[in-house]
Amino acid sequence: MTVDLHHLDEGPRDAPVLVLSGSLGSTLQMWRPQVAALTERFRVIRVDHRGHGGSPVPPGPYRIADLADDVLALLDGLGLDRVAWCGLSLGGMVGMRLASESPERISRLTLCCTTAHFPDPAPWEERIAAVSSGGTGPLAQGVVSRWFTPGWAAAHADVVAEAEAMVAGTPDDGYLACCQAIEAWDHRDRLGAITAPTLVIAGSADLATPVEPHARTLAEGIPGARLEVLDAAHLASVEAAAEVTALVAEITTP
């Protein structure tokens, strides 16, 4: 059963529609660096995944298909047949699912710092166990330490603190259930079914989804996909905000 996703819908009503979908442990506020520029040209819809931010927290476990179905229900409710998609990490996984299984709904696709599969389930098993025993709070600092390069983090302590608060504020049950969705995620055999023009953005210092093999697998598996590697870690949309905004605007423009 789908849930009603919390979302913000901004920008001109008659402009092309772009949906922004974020990482595990984030809320739609992670896209603030992109909003001002993108809403000049696009109708921008930011969403909270189920179990995150202002969205409901149904019982888990979840699957990426569940998160994608939530988005389809939202688009149907808004009367939107076809949208461009930009997803980072977990949001990219949702975008892949939509683009391969509901290709008529996705016009253009940006996949940022994400993957079609994590071959080693052990880190996710460990994180699931940690959330089960202690909640999201104790994990926040360690998770966010992988979101930004050390030098950038040292120069932007306020952004790091906000990100840690965002992770710690994510409902324990929702975070855990989304970890279970990621642990089970394997979309490698469906990449070839994606027909939307696709941009893959990777961070050269991303420890969570490194260029090799994650971004490279996407760029080689999705027909015609283009790969751009930026000087950033996992949350490239924040650390390399201007570059990501420009690339997303370029691929999204009809």
Side-chain angles (χ1 to χ4, degrees):
M1 182 177 296
T2 62
V3 302
D4 293 330
L5 294 179
H6 177 243
H7 64 282
L8 290 177
D9 185 350
E10 302 164 290
R13 300 297 88 182
D14 58 348
V17 181
L18 169 64
V19 180
L20 301 178
S21 177
S23 67
L24 174 70
S26 75
T27 73
L28 51 74
Q29 295 300 332
M30 68 161 274
W31 296 106
R32 283 204 314 271
Q34 279 68 50
V35 171
L38 291 180
T39 52
E40 291 181 359
R41 301 171 58 180
F42 308 106
R43 176 180 174 184
V44 176
I45 299 172
R46 292 181 279 161
V47 299
D48 283 334
H49 299 292
R50 61 165 61 195
H52 285 64
S55 289
V57 188
Y62 308 156
R63 293 293 180 263
I64 300 300
D66 299 324
L67 278 67
D69 286 346
D70 292 340
V71 171
L72 292 176
L74 173 63
L75 298 182
D76 289 346
L78 294 173
L80 298 172
D81 294 330
R82 192 167 170 84
V83 300
W85 184 273
C86 173
L88 187 145
S89 197
L90 178 57
M93 300 173 200
V94 176
M96 284 178 241
R97 169 76 189 192
L98 291 167
S100 65
E101 309 311 307
S102 302
E104 72 283 358
R105 307 301 295 268
I106 302 298
S107 60
R108 293 166 187 270
L109 180 65
T110 302
L111 303 174
C112 188
C113 300
T114 189
T115 185
H117 179 59
F118 286 104
D120 182 7
W124 292 106
E125 293 168 355
E126 294 168 4
R127 195 176 300 190
I128 289 166
V131 177
S132 297
S133 63
T136 55
L139 296 177
Q141 185 174 7
V143 167
V144 173
S145 71
R146 294 161 63 87
W147 279 9
F148 309 111
T149 58
W152 193 93
H156 299 84
D158 56 333
V159 178
V160 173
E162 184 178 12
E164 290 177 356
M166 192 163 53
V167 174
T170 302
D172 296 345
D173 290 344
Y175 191 98
L176 188 152
C178 282
C179 286
Q180 292 170 319
I182 295 170
E183 179 190 22
W185 171 245
D186 188 351
H187 210 60
R188 291 172 294 178
D189 65 348
R190 294 297 295 156
L191 295 178
I194 295 175
T195 56
T198 300
L199 170 66
V200 179
I201 299 175
S204 61
D206 185 359
L207 300 178
T209 52
V211 177
E212 305 291 349
H214 298 287
R216 188 74 60 190
T217 296
L218 298 179
E220 294 179 353
I222 298 172
R226 164 187 163 200
L227 174 62
E228 293 283 347
V229 182
L230 305 181
D231 183 14
H234 191 56
L235 224 65
S237 62
V238 176
E239 185 167 355
E243 295 94 329
V244 169
T245 301
L247 287 168
V248 172
E250 179 187 354
I251 186 70
T252 303
T253 300

